[in-house]
Amino acid sequence: KSLFKRVTSLLLKFVQRGRISDLIITLSQKEGSDRQHHWRSILPLLVSLPDRLASALGVNYPKQFRPRTYYQKVSEQMFSLLPSSLASQTPPVAWSVVFGSFPFLSDWLGKILMVGHPDIVAQALVTYFSVRLPNPHWVGKARAIIVAVPSQCAERLLESFLRLSAQQRCLNTPWLEAFFGDVAIMPPYRNLLSHKFLILRVSLPFDVLRALIDFAHSLDSTFFREALSNVLIAWSSPDFLLRSNTRQHRYLSGALVHFLSKLSQDDIAPYTPRFLNGVQGHLGCPVIDKRHRGMQIGELFSRLLQPDNSLDFGIEFEDDYKDEVVSSSSHTSPATVSFGVAVAEVDPD
């Protein structure tokens, strides 16, 4: 036990005094095959250290090795090897090594994701890049990390990243373009950004949903039309109308309102049959809130389709979320539609 305590104490000092950085620098200076051999042995040990110590020490488990504390500390040391600004001197590990022959940062973050800590990775990304983007110099670095994320972890990382970005008030189109501009059209992100997070992730706050739609609109028109079609097909489905709960229906209705704010009269024609079927189905819905939301969307749609002869159901939708408003922008103003979905102000910068 005495020996194990001494070893634990040495490990603690190794981590707390920033020796992980020294280890990475030393490895980066080795030859390619030799470096990879050592790194393949070291990385699993670094990742599993909290579990190993917890199993061996039980109640005497040092708090510094609790997963969140430990992973954050090591991640900080990994990121410290990158330059802090464009004016920085040559970083300890060359860019061509970090994002090429020795992608230690991507490897480390990928392993943290694999053991179930997407929030820690999201925090590291937001903290490091929030003061550097959207400067083009850093965009490639941000995307390189995202591309290296294991595909099975992409969904959890994306949700944590979006929520944290919204909390830090940096969630906007330039921010998302910096990380996902070229990545959004590739699997698995295409399905996540054009379908799953717009339709199924109904627990997301509306400022995240709105930012995703704004981002889709900034990409090529094919991606935007795909995303809009996915939402419209789901919203106009009789099965969705019948089975959706309040939160689900509010979320998709709010998404559709924001999509409508991006369309002009020329854009709307391909979607007319689906909109008409969806609105008609909602008019016959026995659930009052759903019927009223359908009426509101019908009015907004008709103002795009026939500005001089639009529908007016005379419904001023009110519920328990009066202050949480979804506003349709210039194409549909002055209409204001409240769907009871959470909206937070987001800094446009």
Side-chain angles (χ1 to χ4, degrees), residues 18-28 39 74-84 88-95 97-99 102 104-105 128 132 138:
R19 298 309 182 192
I20 301 292
S21 300
D22 296 338
L23 173 64
I24 297 297
I25 292 173
T26 300
L27 285 174
S28 71
W39 182 234
V74 175
S75 296
E76 289 171 3
Q77 293 184 45
M78 297 276 190
F79 273 97
S80 73
L81 296 175
L82 307 182
S84 59
S88 298
Q89 296 178 349
T90 303
V93 183
W95 284 117
V97 175
V98 178
F99 295 100
F102 183 31
F104 66 87
L105 183 60
Y128 183 78
R132 294 169 172 83
W138 302 102

Side-chain angles (χ1 to χ4, degrees), residues 11-198:
L11 286 172
L12 183 58
K13 291 178 181 178
F14 186 81
V15 174
Q16 294 296 106
R17 294 180 180 179
R19 298 309 182 192
I20 301 292
S21 300
D22 296 338
L23 173 64
I24 297 297
I25 292 173
T26 300
L27 285 174
S28 71
Q29 295 168 351
K30 292 182 174 293
E31 295 297 327
S33 59
D34 192 30
R35 177 173 60 208
Q36 291 303 322
H37 172 74
H38 285 89
W39 182 234
R40 281 195 296 267
S41 301
I42 293 171
L43 180 59
L45 293 175
L46 285 177
V47 174
S48 64
L49 190 56
D51 289 338
R52 289 170 180 263
L53 290 178
S55 176
L57 297 177
V59 294
N60 297 318
Y61 184 31
K63 64 180 182 180
Q64 293 92 337
F65 284 110
R66 302 291 166 84
R68 177 174 294 277
T69 303
Y70 170 77
Y71 289 139
Q72 285 180 339
K73 184 68 175 179
V74 175
S75 296
E76 289 171 3
Q77 293 184 45
M78 297 276 190
F79 273 97
S80 73
L81 296 175
L82 307 182
S84 59
S85 70
L86 294 178
S88 298
Q89 296 178 349
T90 303
V93 183
W95 284 117
S96 59
V97 175
V98 178
F99 295 100
S101 59
F102 183 31
F104 66 87
L105 183 60
S106 298
D107 288 348
W108 168 252
L109 296 178
K111 286 292 186 181
I112 299 178
L113 289 170
M114 293 292 288
V115 296
H117 295 283
D119 53 329
I120 294 176
V121 176
Q123 180 68 64
L125 293 175
V126 171
T127 300
Y128 183 78
F129 285 105
S130 60
V131 296
R132 294 169 172 83
L133 293 174
N135 189 304
H137 177 83
W138 302 102
V139 168
K141 312 302 184 290
R143 291 183 188 172
I145 293 175
I146 295 297
V147 169
V149 169
S151 59
Q152 63 267 42
C153 302
E155 182 174 343
R156 288 183 296 168
L157 174 60
L158 181 58
E159 180 168 359
S160 295
F161 177 82
L162 291 171
R163 289 182 181 276
L164 184 61
S165 296
Q167 293 171 10
Q168 298 296 319
R169 302 178 69 82
C170 58
L171 184 61
N172 52 43
T173 296
W175 175 252
L176 291 176
E177 284 179 343
F179 282 94
F180 301 100
D182 294 333
V183 181
I185 60 174
M186 302 187 299
Y189 291 100
R190 187 180 194 104
N191 179 61
L192 294 174
L193 293 168
S194 69
H195 182 268
K196 199 163 190 177
F197 278 66
L198 299 179

Side-chain angles (χ1 to χ4, degrees), residues 6 8 21 31 58 81 110 136 163 206 218 230 267 316 326 337:
R6 289 178 62 188
T8 303
S21 300
E31 295 297 327
L81 296 175
R163 289 182 181 276
F206 188 75
S218 74
N230 288 336
D267 299 325
E316 184 175 351
V326 178
V337 186

